[in-house]
Amino acid sequence: MLDAAFFVRWMTAAAAVIDREADRLTELDSPIGDADHGRNMQRGFAAVVTALEAEPPATPGAALIAAGRKLISSVGGASGPLYGTLLRRAGKVFGEAPQVSAEELRAGLGAGADAVAQLGGSAPGDKTMLDALVPGIEALATSFDAAATAAEKGALATVPMLARKGRASYLGERSIGHQDPGATSSALLFAALAEVAK
């Protein structure tokens, strides 16, 4: 069972891996976006860690709702609302439960991904964060490591895709051949999750 401390560790690990990979995320965002994804995510997750340390959450739901709220208020562009929606919706699914199972985590993140799809008007195959999120969430049924692997494969699979949503979609055919930065940062979340679950 996963308690509030586990989710704080997850967000802390996510902040660390995003901090390490910020330059790569920005590099991926340069040809098909605003070249700010790495910096935005870095700033947002650093703010999440600060907020969770200042006011430790009592439940898993409270941890993700607080993290989502902080991302929405501190990250520019589309990333803040999308990641914030993912985490807040998952947190709401958890409710006041003091602990959640891996299966409940999968259900919560699944609801979060559905909310992201609705907010962005996107679906898997559109070259967005959903291309890593959805396979990662599905693979949680097997293990945390399987989820990290599936999300990473999902991010890599965006390279040959034509972007149909988001900033990259403005480029049309020129979006082909580039890895989606949002899918890449989503895969990093699953990498951090697998790390703290060890």
Coordinates of all heavy atoms in Angstrom, one line a residue, residues 91-126:
G91 N -5.8 12.6 -7.6 CA -5.9 12.9 -6.2 C -7.4 12.9 -5.7 O -7.7 12.3 -4.7
K92 N -8.2 13.4 -6.6 CA -9.7 13.4 -6.3 C -10.2 12.0 -6.3 O -11.1 11.7 -5.4 CB -10.4 14.3 -7.2 CG -10.2 15.8 -6.9 CD -10.8 16.7 -7.9 CE -10.5 18.1 -7.6 NZ -10.9 19.1 -8.7
V93 N -9.8 11.1 -7.2 CA -10.2 9.7 -7.2 C -9.8 9.0 -5.9 O -10.6 8.2 -5.4 CB -9.6 9.0 -8.4 CG1 -9.9 7.5 -8.3 CG2 -10.2 9.5 -9.7
F94 N -8.6 9.4 -5.3 CA -8.2 8.7 -4.1 C -9.0 9.2 -2.9 O -9.1 8.4 -1.9 CB -6.7 9.1 -3.8 CG -5.7 8.6 -4.8 CD1 -4.5 9.2 -4.8 CD2 -6.0 7.6 -5.7 CE1 -3.5 8.8 -5.8 CE2 -5.1 7.2 -6.6 CZ -3.8 7.8 -6.7
G95 N -9.6 10.4 -3.0 CA -10.4 10.9 -1.9 C -9.6 11.0 -0.6 O -8.5 11.5 -0.7
E96 N -10.2 10.6 0.5 CA -9.5 10.8 1.8 C -8.8 9.5 2.3 O -8.4 9.4 3.4 CB -10.6 11.2 2.9 CG -11.3 12.5 2.6 CD -10.4 13.7 2.6 OE1 -9.5 13.7 3.5 OE2 -10.5 14.5 1.8
A97 N -8.7 8.5 1.4 CA -8.0 7.3 1.8 C -6.6 7.5 2.3 O -5.8 8.3 1.7 CB -8.0 6.3 0.6
P98 N -6.2 6.9 3.5 CA -4.9 7.1 4.0 C -3.8 6.4 3.2 O -2.7 6.8 3.3 CB -5.0 6.6 5.4 CG -6.2 5.6 5.4 CD -7.1 6.1 4.4
Q99 N -4.2 5.4 2.5 CA -3.3 4.6 1.6 C -4.0 4.2 0.4 O -5.3 4.0 0.4 CB -2.8 3.4 2.4 CG -1.9 3.7 3.6 CD -1.4 2.4 4.2 OE1 -2.2 1.4 4.4 NE2 -0.2 2.3 4.6
V100 N -3.3 4.0 -0.7 CA -3.9 3.5 -1.9 C -3.1 2.3 -2.4 O -1.9 2.2 -2.2 CB -4.1 4.5 -3.0 CG1 -5.0 5.6 -2.6 CG2 -2.7 5.1 -3.4
S101 N -3.7 1.4 -3.1 CA -3.0 0.2 -3.7 C -2.4 0.6 -5.1 O -2.8 1.7 -5.6 CB -4.0 -0.9 -3.9 OG -5.0 -0.6 -4.8
A102 N -1.6 -0.2 -5.6 CA -1.1 0.0 -7.0 C -2.2 0.1 -8.0 O -2.2 0.9 -8.9 CB 0.0 -1.0 -7.3
E103 N -3.2 -0.8 -7.8 CA -4.3 -0.8 -8.7 C -5.2 0.5 -8.6 O -5.6 1.0 -9.6 CB -5.2 -2.0 -8.4 CG -6.4 -2.2 -9.3 CD -6.1 -2.1 -10.7 OE1 -5.1 -2.7 -11.2 OE2 -6.9 -1.5 -11.5
E104 N -5.3 1.0 -7.4 CA -6.0 2.3 -7.2 C -5.2 3.4 -7.8 O -5.8 4.4 -8.3 CB -6.3 2.5 -5.7 CG -7.4 1.6 -5.1 CD -7.5 1.6 -3.6 OE1 -6.4 1.8 -3.0 OE2 -8.6 1.4 -3.1
L105 N -3.9 3.4 -7.7 CA -3.0 4.4 -8.4 C -3.3 4.3 -9.9 O -3.4 5.4 -10.5 CB -1.6 4.1 -8.1 CG -0.5 4.9 -8.9 CD1 -0.7 6.4 -8.6 CD2 0.9 4.5 -8.5
R106 N -3.3 3.1 -10.4 CA -3.6 3.0 -11.9 C -4.9 3.6 -12.2 O -5.1 4.3 -13.2 CB -3.5 1.5 -12.3 CG -3.5 1.3 -13.8 CD -3.1 -0.1 -14.1 NE -4.2 -1.1 -14.0 CZ -5.0 -1.5 -14.9 NH1 -4.9 -1.0 -16.2 NH2 -6.0 -2.3 -14.7
A107 N -6.0 3.3 -11.4 CA -7.3 3.9 -11.7 C -7.3 5.4 -11.6 O -7.9 6.1 -12.4 CB -8.3 3.3 -10.7
G108 N -6.6 5.9 -10.6 CA -6.5 7.4 -10.4 C -5.8 8.1 -11.6 O -6.3 9.1 -12.1
L109 N -4.7 7.5 -12.0 CA -4.0 8.1 -13.1 C -4.7 7.9 -14.4 O -4.6 8.8 -15.3 CB -2.6 7.5 -13.2 CG -1.6 7.8 -12.1 CD1 -0.3 7.1 -12.3 CD2 -1.3 9.3 -12.0
G110 N -5.5 6.8 -14.5 CA -6.3 6.6 -15.7 C -7.4 7.7 -15.8 O -7.6 8.3 -16.9
A111 N -8.0 8.0 -14.7 CA -9.0 9.1 -14.7 C -8.3 10.4 -15.0 O -8.8 11.3 -15.7 CB -9.6 9.2 -13.3
G112 N -7.1 10.6 -14.5 CA -6.3 11.8 -14.8 C -6.0 11.9 -16.3 O -6.1 13.0 -16.9
A113 N -5.6 10.8 -16.9 CA -5.3 10.8 -18.3 C -6.5 11.1 -19.1 O -6.4 11.8 -20.1 CB -4.7 9.5 -18.7
D114 N -7.7 10.6 -18.7 CA -8.9 10.9 -19.4 C -9.2 12.4 -19.3 O -9.7 13.0 -20.3 CB -10.1 10.1 -18.8 CG -10.0 8.6 -19.1 OD1 -9.3 8.2 -20.0 OD2 -10.7 7.9 -18.4
A115 N -8.9 13.0 -18.2 CA -9.2 14.4 -18.0 C -8.2 15.3 -18.9 O -8.6 16.3 -19.5 CB -9.0 14.8 -16.5
V116 N -7.0 14.8 -19.0 CA -6.0 15.4 -19.9 C -6.4 15.4 -21.3 O -6.4 16.4 -22.1 CB -4.6 14.8 -19.7 CG1 -3.6 15.2 -20.8 CG2 -4.0 15.1 -18.4
A117 N -6.9 14.2 -21.7 CA -7.4 14.0 -23.1 C -8.6 15.0 -23.4 O -8.6 15.6 -24.5 CB -7.9 12.6 -23.3
Q118 N -9.5 15.1 -22.4 CA -10.6 16.0 -22.6 C -10.2 17.5 -22.7 O -10.6 18.2 -23.5 CB -11.6 15.8 -21.4 CG -12.9 16.4 -21.6 CD -13.9 16.1 -20.5 OE1 -13.5 15.4 -19.5 NE2 -15.1 16.5 -20.6
L119 N -9.2 17.8 -21.8 CA -8.8 19.2 -21.7 C -8.0 19.6 -23.0 O -8.2 20.7 -23.6 CB -7.8 19.4 -20.5 CG -7.2 20.8 -20.3 CD1 -8.3 21.8 -20.0 CD2 -6.2 20.8 -19.2
G120 N -7.2 18.7 -23.5 CA -6.4 19.0 -24.7 C -7.1 18.6 -26.0 O -6.6 18.8 -27.1
G121 N -8.3 17.9 -25.9 CA -8.9 17.4 -27.1 C -8.1 16.5 -27.9 O -8.1 16.4 -29.1
S122 N -7.3 15.7 -27.2 CA -6.3 14.8 -27.8 C -6.6 13.3 -27.5 O -7.3 13.0 -26.5 CB -4.9 15.2 -27.5 OG -4.8 15.2 -26.1
A123 N -5.9 12.5 -28.2 CA -6.0 11.0 -28.0 C -4.6 10.4 -28.3 O -3.8 11.0 -28.9 CB -7.0 10.4 -28.9
P124 N -4.3 9.2 -27.8 CA -3.1 8.5 -28.2 C -3.0 8.5 -29.7 O -3.9 8.3 -30.4 CB -3.2 7.1 -27.6 CG -4.2 7.3 -26.4 CD -5.1 8.4 -26.8
G125 N -1.7 8.7 -30.1 CA -1.5 8.8 -31.6 C -1.4 10.2 -32.1 O -1.0 10.4 -33.3
D126 N -1.8 11.2 -31.3 CA -1.8 12.6 -31.7 C -0.4 13.3 -31.5 O -0.2 14.4 -31.7 CB -2.8 13.4 -31.0 CG -4.2 13.1 -31.5 OD1 -4.3 12.6 -32.6 OD2 -5.2 13.5 -30.8

